[in-house]
Amino acid sequence: GAGGGNDIQWCFSQVKGAVDDDVAEADIISTVEFNHSGELLATGDKGGRVVIFQQEQENKTQSHSRGEYNVYSTFQSHEPEFDYLKSLEIEEKINKIRWLPQKNAAQFLLSTNDKTIKLWKISERDKRPEGYNLKEEDGRYRDPTTVTTLRVPVFRPMDLMVEASPRRIFANAHTYHINSISINSDYETYLSADDLRINLWHLEITDRSFNIVDIKPANMEELTEVITAAEFHPNSCSTFVYSSSKGTIRLCDMRASALCDRHSKLFEEPEDPSNRSFFSEIISSISDVKFSHSGRYMMTRDYLSVKIWDLNMENRPVETYQVHEYLRSKLCSLYENDCIFDKFECCWNGSDRQVQFLIVMTGSYNNFFRMFDRNSKRDVTLEASRENNKPRTVLKPRKVCASGKRKKDEISVDSLDFNKKILHTAWHPKENIIAVATTNNLYIFQDKMN
Amino acid sequence: MAAPLGTSAFTEETGQEKQDTQEKDKAIPPERAEEAKLKAKYPNLGQKPGGSDFLMKRLQKGQKYFDSGDYNMAKAKMKNKQLPSAGPDKNLVTGDHIPTPQDLPQRKSSLVTSKLAG
């Protein structure tokens, strides 16, 4: 539409995954990511598996909806390992997937677990050679003495086969658990970050990695903060940011020195000391950081809010959005059940828009997810639920009642299901299509067309 | 029309705390009340909130002190859970058998295709 994006009407499109409530741990979705064109949508799970969906080509007769996403490829990316030296189990859970921009017919993505990053090539095969002289069709070798005439093998079409193969394994560079990977705008290098260190890799080189940030103190007793997320700037190939468990973000420039321990900028919102409590630091821990597509802004997610920062202003965010402020008076029980440590991600709307509107999206509990429109300053709460799964029916906004009289259609805070968390969401880079992951299901919503 | 309901969640950068204190100038802020609740339940909770104990715990996620007996028992249980269709494990260590590295059951990755692809 011509106006701002503040009146997007979201409709259910698809849901993937099992219906039953008994969720196997391996099926817990741990990451969701569209590729650069939006044609492919990848998910990773706790079982180390990657599933890639492909959007079907738009059907000109079906003008009421955009293409559906169907399974394109699925493979086992990581397997469980045991580090015998340290008596450490290495989980196969996929922490992050990041797509490379497409350079040729094949698609490439990076997937990582706690310790190892892998570069996967996903390629299509739709023809195969037939008519060899020395081999039968079933592969058995023919006796050369029986060959009386020669023929030229030809390629014949076959059913489309999508193959995934690991092209690079980037291992043994992280003592602590990898939380982020980010591909540089030079498309040649990428960074990987764990709790205490950030490493720079070249996509072609697996036996070497440069350490660019190291915040490990000489004495571990003095440890006060850890790295929680890191990302390269979308346009400036020497700039990256990393966030911490204390709610700070540091911007570093790799041209300044080989080891970027001294930040170029430090983003931190001053805290009101009179409001400080036991929980303050825990809920200020940043679980995700994302640059805007222009690179002018960045967004951070902490336990209760989403903050937008202008890279030119370090002393406070330009905007703060409350995701679920009603949880502030439940922090005691959220600490006891560990929910206070849940790591929510956040994302921007797609970049390829004519109209200058900006929306941010993030998840919450009870399978709710939230959207904030930066232009209109309006927000909405929606629910990912199979009860809403009539295509083209607009999702009904939800409202949580914090206290006092609960109105009809509102949900009271105490009725929220804290096991139903939406930690991972993704927005199609060009269209108003979003992917929302509940514990073990993937929902796809589209805006209502016509 | 999906008109967003409710009050705007947008706040100026002067801080979300201001909303709270405006409403309850004399009352305890909700975070402090929750803190009091927690301290009442766990009086021995460390004085330094989110300090190095908490971070150390985070860094050591997955750490196990190796005990071959415990290790085998745990793996056997886990293996049965992950592969419900598998028969009794022939390599299960029982009785007086002293475990060797070869006996330690390798954790098998999930052999089942993701249900997202089903």
Side-chain angles (χ1 to χ4, degrees):
Chain A
N6 48 6
D7 284 317
I8 296 180
Q9 299 175 78
W10 293 103
C11 303
F12 171 86
S13 175
Q14 297 171 269
V15 61
K16 310 276 184 193
V19 184
D20 57 84
D21 282 334
D22 193 16
V23 181
E25 213 166 293
D27 292 325
I28 295 172
I29 298 172
S30 50
T31 185
V32 182
E33 188 83 354
F34 281 99
N35 76 335
H36 292 254
S37 67
E39 187 204 350
L40 298 177
L41 174 60
T43 61
D45 66 24
K46 217 168 174 200
R49 301 164 299 189
V50 170
V51 182
I52 302 174
F53 302 93
Q54 183 187 42
Q55 189 178 27
E56 62 187 19
Q57 292 307 303
E58 253 178 70
N59 192 335
K60 294 291 189 266
T61 59
Q62 284 194 310
S63 59
H64 62 268
S65 70
R66 297 181 185 83
E68 281 201 340
Y69 283 85
N70 302 315
V71 179
Y72 178 67
S73 171
T74 176
F75 56 93
Q76 186 79 37
S77 172
H78 288 71
E79 309 222 344
E81 289 173 60
F82 192 80
D83 181 339
Y84 292 96
L85 188 65
K86 294 182 187 163
S87 297
L88 238 166
E89 279 184 355
I90 302 170
E91 264 195 299
E92 65 273 37
K93 174 169 74 90
I94 309 294
N95 293 334
K96 284 286 183 328
I97 288 173
R98 289 287 181 263
W99 289 93
L100 264 68
Q102 190 172 14
K103 285 196 283 194
N104 52 40
Q107 299 276 357
F108 288 86
L109 62 79
L110 285 176
S111 71
T112 188
N113 69 348
D114 283 340
K115 297 288 181 182
T116 304
I117 307 127
K118 295 187 183 182
L119 177 69
W120 287 90
K121 177 180 179 182
I122 296 109
S123 47
E124 295 184 359
R125 192 197 291 263
D126 61 357
K127 36 186 178 295
R128 61 156 182 254
E130 285 177 20
Y132 284 104
N133 293 289
L134 295 175
K135 239 183 353 183
E136 304 285 357
E137 293 308 326
D138 60 10
R140 282 179 303 143
Y141 282 98
R142 287 171 73 185
D143 180 355
T145 59
T146 65
V147 176
T148 52
T149 58
L150 289 178
R151 57 188 177 173
V152 178
V154 291
F155 276 98
R156 296 223 185 278
M158 59 181 256
D159 287 339
L160 178 69
M161 207 165 75
V162 181
E163 301 171 314
S165 60
R167 304 303 287 178
R168 305 270 188 276
I169 313 255
F170 304 92
N172 302 320
H174 286 279
T175 307
Y176 302 99
H177 298 111
I178 298 174
N179 51 57
S180 311
I181 47 176
S182 177
I183 298 171
N184 200 343
S185 50
D186 66 8
Y187 300 149
E188 286 188 348
T189 57
Y190 74 94
L191 64 76
S192 57
D194 68 30
D195 292 313
L196 297 178
R197 298 192 177 102
I198 301 179
N199 293 330
L200 180 72
W201 303 84
H202 191 285
L203 284 163
E204 302 286 332
I205 298 167
T206 57
D207 65 352
R208 210 173 314 181
S209 159
F210 290 99
N211 177 241
I212 52 177
V213 173
D214 188 340
I215 64 167
K216 185 178 178 194
N219 181 358
M220 284 298 271
E221 296 290 309
E222 290 161 25
L223 181 70
T224 55
E225 79 187 304
V226 295
I227 297 168
T228 52
E231 196 181 49
F232 264 119
H233 190 277
N235 307 318
S236 169
C237 58
S238 52
T239 306
F240 66 94
V241 293
Y242 67 93
S243 58
S244 84
S245 52
K246 276 185 156 177
T248 65
I249 309 104
R250 286 173 177 78
L251 184 142
C252 300
D253 189 325
M254 295 194 291
R255 295 167 297 188
S257 68
L259 189 61
C260 301
D261 274 356
R262 286 223 302 269
H263 54 262
S264 299
K265 293 193 184 190
L266 174 65
F267 298 84
E268 187 172 14
E269 181 165 27
E271 197 192 10
D272 183 353
S274 65
N275 276 333
R276 187 159 180 84
S277 74
F278 175 84
F279 305 109
S280 300
E281 192 174 302
I282 300 173
I283 63 172
S284 73
S285 177
I286 292 171
S287 49
D288 196 13
V289 63
K290 293 263 170 54
F291 276 106
S292 69
H293 304 292
S294 63
R296 165 87 195 271
Y297 299 97
M298 65 179 173
M299 159 167 62
T300 57
R301 175 70 154 96
D302 51 69
Y303 189 60
L304 296 179
S305 67
V306 166
K307 293 180 181 171
I308 313 287
W309 303 80
D310 183 327
L311 254 54
N312 295 319
M313 187 160 76
E314 297 169 56
N315 61 350
R316 57 175 196 270
V318 290
E319 287 147 36
T320 300
Y321 299 100
Q322 302 306 330
V323 181
H324 36 218
E325 177 67 12
Y326 46 78
L327 295 183
R328 197 178 290 269
S329 44
K330 301 287 172 196
L331 292 176
C332 179
S333 33
L334 292 168
Y335 179 88
E336 289 180 289
N337 62 17
D338 271 357
C339 282
I340 205 174
F341 302 109
D342 284 337
K343 297 187 177 70
F344 291 95
E345 291 174 8
C346 54
C347 65
W348 297 88
N349 67 311
S351 60
D352 209 22
R353 304 293 299 181
Q354 303 284 10
V355 183
Q356 183 71 341
F357 74 94
L358 287 161
I359 305 182
V360 304
M361 170 168 62
T362 190
S364 178
Y365 295 105
N366 209 69
N367 283 349
F368 287 170
F369 58 101
R370 304 265 284 137
M371 296 209 189
F372 305 94
D373 185 321
R374 295 188 60 214
N375 287 344
S376 68
K377 304 291 183 250
R378 291 199 294 188
D379 63 277
V380 69
T381 304
L382 300 172
E383 183 180 2
S385 154
R386 284 176 185 270
E387 286 167 17
N388 302 329
N389 61 356
K390 287 200 192 89
R392 302 182 65 205
T393 306
V394 176
L395 292 182
K396 186 177 145 180
R398 297 281 179 232
K399 177 116 172 73
V400 177
C401 169
S403 58
K405 268 212 167 102
R406 187 178 72 89
K407 297 199 191 86
K408 175 174 171 285
D409 284 351
E410 285 186 355
I411 297 163
S412 86
V413 183
D414 297 310
S415 310
L416 294 174
D417 188 341
F418 290 96
N419 289 320
K420 292 188 176 170
K421 325 170 197 251
I422 291 180
L423 303 174
H424 313 286
T425 61
W427 202 306
H428 190 290
K430 301 182 200 305
E431 299 175 40
N432 283 336
I433 300 174
I434 54 176
V436 174
T438 59
T439 306
N440 64 330
N441 284 177
L442 183 72
Y443 286 78
I444 299 173
F445 301 103
Q446 297 184 4
D447 77 2
K448 192 183 175 97
M449 290 172 84
N450 309 324
Chain B
M1 282 276 276
L5 298 177
T7 56
S8 172
F10 167 75
T11 59
E12 296 291 341
E13 63 272 9
T14 45
Q16 63 269 33
E17 310 282 20
K18 208 175 180 190
Q19 271 184 338
D20 283 337
T21 48
Q22 271 175 353
E23 288 173 49
K24 314 169 189 172
D25 233 315
K26 294 183 177 134
I28 305 167
E31 249 183 80
R32 285 282 183 81
E34 290 296 299
E35 181 181 26
K37 239 190 259 177
L38 192 70
K39 291 222 161 114
K41 274 194 189 176
Y42 309 99
N44 295 326
L45 204 55
Q47 288 306 306
K48 197 171 157 211
S52 67
D53 282 347
F54 155 57
L55 289 177
M56 291 300 282
K57 188 178 161 195
R58 179 188 177 138
L59 291 178
Q60 281 172 5
K61 169 190 130 186
Q63 189 91 37
K64 269 184 158 70
Y65 292 105
F66 189 71
D67 177 295
S68 58
D70 284 345
Y71 179 58
N72 278 327
M73 292 284 286
K75 288 305 173 199
K77 279 190 203 137
M78 211 187 313
K79 198 175 170 188
N80 290 339
K81 238 189 200 174
Q82 276 188 348
L83 304 170
S85 56
D89 185 10
K90 292 184 195 123
N91 295 326
L92 199 61
V93 173
T94 55
D96 296 326
H97 188 117
I98 314 259
T100 63
Q102 287 87 338
D103 293 328
L104 292 179
Q106 283 292 321
R107 267 190 73 188
K108 293 271 190 284
S109 60
S110 180
L111 300 177
V112 182
T113 310
S114 165
K115 295 195 180 99
L116 291 183

